[in-house]
Amino acid sequence: MPCYKGVCSFCLVSVFVLPCRHVGPEEHHPDRISLPIMWPSFDLLRPALALIAAISCLPASEVTARPPNVLFISIDDLNDWIEPLGGHPQAKTPHLNRLAKEGVNFSRNYCPSPGCNPSRSAVMTGYHPTTSGMYSNYQDWRKAMPDAVTLGEYFRNHGYFSAGAGKIFHYTQVAPECWDDYYPSIEQPMPDFHYPKPGTTVSMPGFDGMYGDFDWAPIPLTDEETGDGKCVDWVSKQLARTHDKPFFLACGIYRPHLPWYVPRSYFDLYPLESVQLPKILKDDADDLGDRAHDIIARGGGYHEHVIEAGQWREAVQGYLASVTFADAMLGRLLDALEKSPHADNTIVVVWSDHGWQLGEKQHWRKFALWENVARCVMMIKVPPGTTALPEGSRAGGDCQRVTSLMDIYPTLVDLCSLPEKKDLDGNSLVPLLRDPAHPWDHPAITTYDHSEYSVRTERWRYIRYIDDSEELYDHTSDPEEWHNLAGMEQHAATKRRLAAMIPKSPAPLRSDTLIELQPHHIPPYQSKKDYQNRKKAKSTEP
């Protein structure tokens, strides 16, 4: 007869149901706890006590099973410059290392879009931009998807407490129905951040078209005094308290999003004279088409201005410092969970919305389709005991399969045994959490604005732009994407195969979803005709 929590079921039945007598350990299991109690028989209690006996015969996992909690952590603008991904040899990220050792690190993971708003709204709704028509930072995602049920809302609808802090959706484009509680508030999700010189930059001289937060400098604050620190503290307090429902708890860590203003101690970890610049190839852009050169020059040509200002090394220092600061924020959340009463029943998901470039291909920021921008962080740790994955996720699993942020929504629905949501665009990662080498044949599709696509498989990246120019990179021999093979006839069949994976009927980018633009904003192309018209108009400018 099976035993429950070290107590033999025979003992339970004997003590409560059998006629009065001493039941000693020598009579059944000598390695189990016995209950040598003299107990009278109570015939009237026999039906209820028989039920207790039946329950005691169930496996412990079935008796104690309860819906798992979710700790959902977003890190803004984080590329592969972390130790588990090896994107920069000097990056210091001990807490991401720690999580990678405890869960599964999806090392070939890609974003649905290289912009915060379309990527985050895709993650939170489960709809790829090509499904929703939500392609650009300069759209209102809720106008594009008025009926979409967000991830937090879906959990709320199925009995969860949903709360969060910081940037999960794009700034003030909030989703009140997603949350029961939020810090600083449901309507104002972003805390205040410190600016050393409000209204101007500290390190980077401004230029025409520059994003005003394109700057970096140490600040005289403690971790706890920063905006991210306050969000982490709020979420940590939520973890520490008891809950009468399972929870979906989100925390948006804003750094390393610009500006790279973090406490000085993080800059001190990267002495300026020893900072290594990204690996680049001279004339890397020579084999690229016109549209790729437009993207490189986007926003006024950041790279040439950074070089002119003598700030390349300083910028890399600022980004690395901000990455390590974000890692420290993650560490505080992991510590808070570990100390909480929920540590053994909480799924941890860490993701970044897209990558970033700091001079590779003479390009800065996001808004491109190359590896450094499309690749992003995703790690998942599942404790033992969930119905979908009783054994828990594979500790220290390094998954080399191509995955997407689109897979988060269906994976959490699966892991938490919520009703299947059949209209989602991603795939449940449960097979890969069980076995990171499990067969998997799902390419990652990334789209920049409308009609520009990247297709990533384990070997290849294929890019097709709105002007029909193409790029093809073989990652077995060219991980830096320095050699565009698209013009070589021997790769024509590969191009055709990859191009066939691009959605055939993508949703349009509707004009009524566009927001009012700020000076540094560049309106998205809505069609090939729109691109051609603007290109022609620009060519006739004096």
Side-chain angles (χ1 to χ4, degrees), residues 476-539:
T476 59
S477 58
D478 184 21
E480 301 296 333
E481 298 186 341
W482 284 339
H483 306 291
N484 179 13
L485 307 176
M488 298 184 178
E489 182 59 32
Q490 62 264 41
H491 297 299
T494 297
K495 283 198 308 178
R496 286 194 298 271
R497 177 175 61 84
L498 296 171
M501 299 176 186
I502 293 172
K504 301 296 186 294
S505 301
L509 195 165
R510 301 196 327 264
S511 297
D512 65 320
T513 66
L514 295 172
I515 64 172
E516 184 178 349
L517 298 182
Q518 298 179 24
H520 68 280
H521 289 169
I522 298 172
Y525 296 117
Q526 296 179 250
S527 65
K528 184 180 291 188
K529 184 177 180 180
D530 180 27
Y531 168 77
Q532 292 170 340
N533 289 342
R534 283 201 247 167
K535 192 79 171 174
K536 183 178 180 180
K538 189 174 182 180
S539 68

Side-chain angles (χ1 to χ4, degrees), residues 271-439:
L272 186 61
E273 64 278 5
S274 65
V275 167
Q276 296 182 32
L277 299 178
K279 291 190 291 184
I280 62 169
L281 177 71
K282 186 180 179 182
D283 303 325
D284 183 15
D286 284 2
D287 57 0
L288 306 181
D290 288 347
R291 176 60 181 146
H293 283 273
D294 289 345
I295 289 172
I296 290 171
R298 184 186 187 278
Y302 280 81
H303 190 64
E304 97 180 72
H305 289 287
V306 170
I307 299 302
E308 285 178 3
Q311 286 287 310
W312 194 0
R313 198 175 302 276
E314 287 81 355
V316 171
Q317 180 194 40
Y319 188 79
L320 287 169
S322 297
V323 167
T324 301
F325 168 79
D327 181 79
M329 296 296 103
L330 170 65
R332 291 173 61 191
L333 289 169
L334 296 178
D335 289 345
L337 176 61
E338 190 174 297
K339 295 172 185 176
S340 80
H342 315 291
D344 65 347
N345 192 42
T346 299
I347 297 164
V348 179
V349 181
V350 173
W351 58 282
S352 63
D353 47 2
H354 44 69
W356 230 82
Q357 285 185 310
L358 293 94
E360 301 94 334
K361 294 191 184 296
Q362 295 83 53
H363 179 257
W364 286 74
R365 302 184 68 205
K366 40 211 171 188
F367 308 123
L369 293 169
W370 298 301
E371 180 80 359
N372 318 79
V373 177
R375 190 185 190 196
C376 55
V377 175
M378 185 169 70
M379 299 182 187
I380 302 178
K381 175 187 175 184
V382 183
T386 64
T387 301
L389 196 63
E391 69 275 30
S393 54
R394 178 78 63 86
D398 182 32
C399 182
Q400 296 287 324
R401 302 305 188 206
V402 170
T403 58
S404 168
L405 294 180
M406 298 308 307
D407 300 329
I408 291 176
Y409 199 143
T411 299
L412 290 178
V413 168
D414 195 357
L415 287 172
C416 297
S417 298
L418 303 186
E420 183 182 3
K421 199 169 185 300
K422 295 183 179 181
D423 61 344
L424 302 177
D425 284 331
N427 302 282
S428 173
L429 296 167
V430 168
L432 296 178
L433 290 166
R434 182 179 292 114
D435 174 13
H438 185 82

Side-chain angles (χ1 to χ4, degrees), residues 193 222-234 325 329 332:
F193 287 90
T222 65
D223 287 9
E224 294 76 13
E225 292 171 329
T226 64
D228 280 330
K230 292 173 183 177
C231 290
V232 166
D233 282 348
W234 190 88
F325 168 79
M329 296 296 103
R332 291 173 61 191

